[in-house]
Amino acid sequence: MASPLKNNKINAIKIALSLSLGASVLCPAFAQDTLILADAYIDVAKGKSVNDAAIIVSDNQIIKVTTAANITNKADYNLVDLKGKTLVPGVMDMHVHLSGDAEDNFLESMNYSVPRQTVKAVKNAQKTLLAGFTTVRDLGASGYSVIATRDGIDAGEIPGPRIWAVGHAIGITGGHCDDNFPAPEAHAKAQGVADGPWEVRTKVRENIKYGANAIKVCATGGVFSKGTQVGAQQMTYEELKSAVDEAHLRGLVIAAHAHGTSGIKNAIRAGIDSIEHCSFMDDEAINMALKAGTYLSCDIYNTEYTLAFGAANGVPEANINKEKQVSQAQRDSFRQAVKAGAKMVFGSDAAIYPHGDNGKQFSRMVTFGMTPAQALQAATVNSAALLKQDNLGQIKAGFLADIIAVDGNPLDNISLMENVTFVMKDGVVYKKQ
C-alpha cells in the first residue's frame, strides 16, 4: 500500500498535469530527478543573479545548484528547459484573504455562506499559486474556510500555495474585526470577537483547536469596517499581550492589524511578530520595531484598486474616504521604515484587489524606497524568517523545491514579477509557458 505522503504527491502530480493541458509537456513522474536549466537564478540572500543556472530537484527538495556546464548527463533527468528565463524562489505573500473577492459587491458578499466562501478560497488559492506565490499567510476568514482549503491542498486534492491560516481574526466588540454592518436587531457578531485578556486567550485557543497555524488580532480601526476610526487604538495592551503569550506558548506566529500609531506601538510592546498595514508610523514606532525585531507588512498596492474600482464594487463612500486617509500616509511610513532598515515582509491584503495580481505590489515597493533585491527579499528570505521556516525562500540545496521563473531579470526590471511563466511548488510543476 502506498504511504499517505506518496499518495499526496501522486495527487499533486495529477493536479499539475490537469492544469497544464495545452501547455508544454511537464514532468510526468518522479522516477527520475528533475533538471531545470535557465539563463540565471536569483540568489536572494545575496541580492544578485547567478548566470547559467542548473537546478537538480529530487522529489520535493532542491539537491544541487550548479551551472549547466557542469551537467554532462542531461539524459538522466526529467529536463525542464527554461532558456531565456530567470529563476526566482517561490515568492510569499504574508497577508491575503483567500475566501473573498474584491470584484464582488461589497455588502452582498458579507452574506456569503461558509461553503460559498470555501469555494472562493479554493479558486483563489489556485490563482495565487499560478501567479508564483507558493506560500501565503491568510489573515482571516469565516468558518475556518481557508483552513479547510489548506488541508485540501496539503492532502494533494486541490492546487494551491502552502498556507498559514489564522482562522478568525480576533478583535473587540464593535471593532474592525466585528460584523458591524447589520442592524442592531440582527445581533450580528463576528466569530473572533473577544473582550478582555481571558476572552482573547480563549479565542486564540479556539482558533488553534480548529486548525489555525497562525494568529491575528485587530489592534486598531480599519478601512473596510463600519463605525471604526482607521487609526484609533482598539485592543488594550493587556488584551494584545494575552494573545501574544497564548500564541507563543503554542509555538505560533502572531500578526496585528494596526494602522494607528498608538496601536502599532502597543502591539510591538506586547511582542507581536508582524504589524500589518503600518499606516501611521512615527520615528519612535519604527525605532521600536527595529529594536524588537518586529516585521512590518505594508500593503501599498491595493489602494490603487480601491480608489479606482471600489465605488463600482459597492464599497460605501465612508470606507473609500477612509482609504483616502491612509493611502499616502501608509506609503510614507513604508518609505521611512525601509530607509531606517526595518525588517519588512511582502503583504498585499489580496481580496482588497483581485487575487492573482499580488505581483503588482513589487513595483510599488521599489517606487517607494526598496531596491529590486530588497523587494524580492521581503517576499522570500524575510517572509520565511517571519514564519520560522529554514527550508523556504531560497534556491539552495536542502530547501524545498519552490521555484518560479520570469522572462528576463527581475533585478533589472521588477515589474517582470507580474508575469510569472513557470511555477514549481514542492517539486511539482503547475505552470510552464
Side-chain angles (χ1 to χ4, degrees):
M1 176 180 286
S3 70
L5 179 61
K6 184 175 181 180
N7 285 334
N8 292 350
K9 180 63 70 177
I10 291 170
N11 289 340
I13 295 167
K14 289 179 179 177
I15 289 168
L17 290 174
S18 69
L19 290 173
S20 72
L21 292 176
S24 301
V25 176
L26 306 184
C27 309
F30 279 79
Q32 291 176 292
D33 290 344
T34 298
L35 172 63
I36 306 172
L37 300 178
D39 284 9
Y41 78 94
I42 303 299
D43 182 335
V44 288
K46 295 181 179 178
K48 67 177 186 179
S49 61
V50 181
N51 292 331
D52 191 27
I55 315 298
I56 299 175
V57 173
S58 182
D59 194 16
N60 69 337
Q61 190 174 76
I62 298 169
I63 61 171
K64 190 173 185 179
V65 179
T66 184
T67 63
N70 289 330
I71 304 295
T72 58
N73 53 338
K74 295 183 179 63
D76 292 343
Y77 299 95
N78 292 315
L79 180 62
V80 178
D81 190 349
L82 299 177
K83 183 179 180 180
K85 300 181 187 292
T86 299
L87 305 179
V88 181
V91 284
M92 309 183 199
D93 192 333
M94 293 294 97
H95 193 135
V96 304
H97 298 280
L98 293 173
S99 61
D101 277 322
E103 306 96 318
D104 290 351
N105 180 273
F106 181 78
L107 293 176
E108 287 181 9
S109 64
M110 292 184 179
N111 293 314
Y112 286 165
S113 66
V114 171
R116 183 74 182 97
Q117 292 179 61
T118 307
V119 171
K120 291 276 188 182
V122 170
K123 170 183 70 74
N124 291 327
Q126 178 176 326
K127 290 180 69 174
T128 302
L129 175 63
L130 296 182
F133 287 80
T134 54
T135 299
V136 299
R137 187 174 53 159
D138 189 284
L139 290 185
S142 298
Y144 307 105
S145 52
V146 173
I147 289 175
T149 303
R150 178 202 67 199
D151 292 348
I153 293 168
D154 290 349
E157 297 165 346
I158 54 175
R162 195 175 289 101
I163 298 175
W164 270 257
V166 304
H168 300 122
I170 299 168
I172 65 168
T173 297
H176 176 66
C177 289
D178 197 359
D179 183 4
N180 302 330
F181 283 92
E185 55 267 27
H187 302 292
K189 182 178 181 180
Q191 292 170 294
V193 167
D195 297 304
W198 279 108
E199 281 194 15
V200 169
R201 275 189 181 266
T202 299
K203 283 298 176 181
V204 173
R205 292 169 179 174
E206 186 177 277
N207 276 328
I208 296 171
K209 175 181 178 179
Y210 294 114
N213 55 351
I215 298 295
K216 177 191 175 183
V217 293
C218 294
T220 75
V223 171
F224 287 92
S225 50
K226 181 181 178 181
T228 71
Q229 296 179 28
V230 69
Q233 182 179 332
Q234 293 185 347
M235 295 183 79
T236 66
Y237 168 81
E238 291 77 13
E239 288 170 323
L240 292 168
K241 188 68 167 64
S242 68
V244 169
D245 289 348
E246 190 64 34
H248 288 172
L249 183 68
R250 306 292 291 275
L252 301 189
V253 171
I254 181 169
H257 160 106
H259 283 282
T261 310
S262 62
I264 292 169
K265 291 177 182 177
N266 262 349
I268 294 170
R269 290 188 187 102
I272 290 285
D273 297 301
S274 72
I275 307 296
E276 310 301 309
H277 309 301
C278 315
S279 296
F280 302 106
M281 289 200 299
D282 57 18
D283 289 342
E284 182 185 23
I286 293 172
N287 288 332
M288 288 174 64
L290 279 165
K291 185 176 180 180
T294 310
Y295 286 87
L296 306 180
S297 170
C298 306
D299 48 318
I300 58 172
Y301 162 66
N302 64 42
T303 184
E304 298 171 33
Y305 183 87
T306 298
L307 297 182
F309 301 104
N313 293 338
V315 177
E317 184 178 1
N319 299 94
I320 292 175
N321 287 337
K322 287 200 284 185
E323 179 61 47
K324 292 176 181 177
Q325 293 173 30
V326 304
S327 178
Q328 189 58 48
Q330 185 184 47
R331 290 175 165 187
D332 290 342
S333 291
F334 176 85
R335 189 189 298 275
Q336 292 166 6
V338 171
K339 186 176 181 180
K343 292 182 177 180
M344 312 285 285
V345 295
F346 186 108
S348 69
D349 212 356
I352 303 302
Y353 66 89
H355 294 278
D357 284 350
N358 312 55
K360 291 183 177 180
Q361 181 163 289
F362 282 108
S363 64
R364 279 59 173 188
M365 295 169 82
V366 171
T367 297
F368 292 97
M370 283 188 170
T371 65
Q374 287 175 320
L376 290 176
Q377 287 166 345
T380 54
V381 289
N382 292 4
S383 291
L386 168 61
L387 295 177
K388 304 185 188 305
Q389 301 300 302
D390 59 5
N391 61 351
L392 292 176
Q394 295 188 59
I395 297 176
K396 185 176 181 180
F399 279 60
L400 293 181
D402 289 3
I403 301 170
I404 63 177
V406 295
D407 296 328
N409 190 336
L411 295 180
D412 297 329
N413 178 8
I414 196 64
S415 295
L416 295 174
M417 296 301 296
E418 297 174 21
N419 184 26
V420 171
T421 59
F422 172 85
V423 176
M424 171 184 278
K425 177 205 159 197
D426 259 344
V428 177
V429 179
Y430 288 89
K431 181 179 184 180
K432 186 175 186 290
Q433 295 179 351

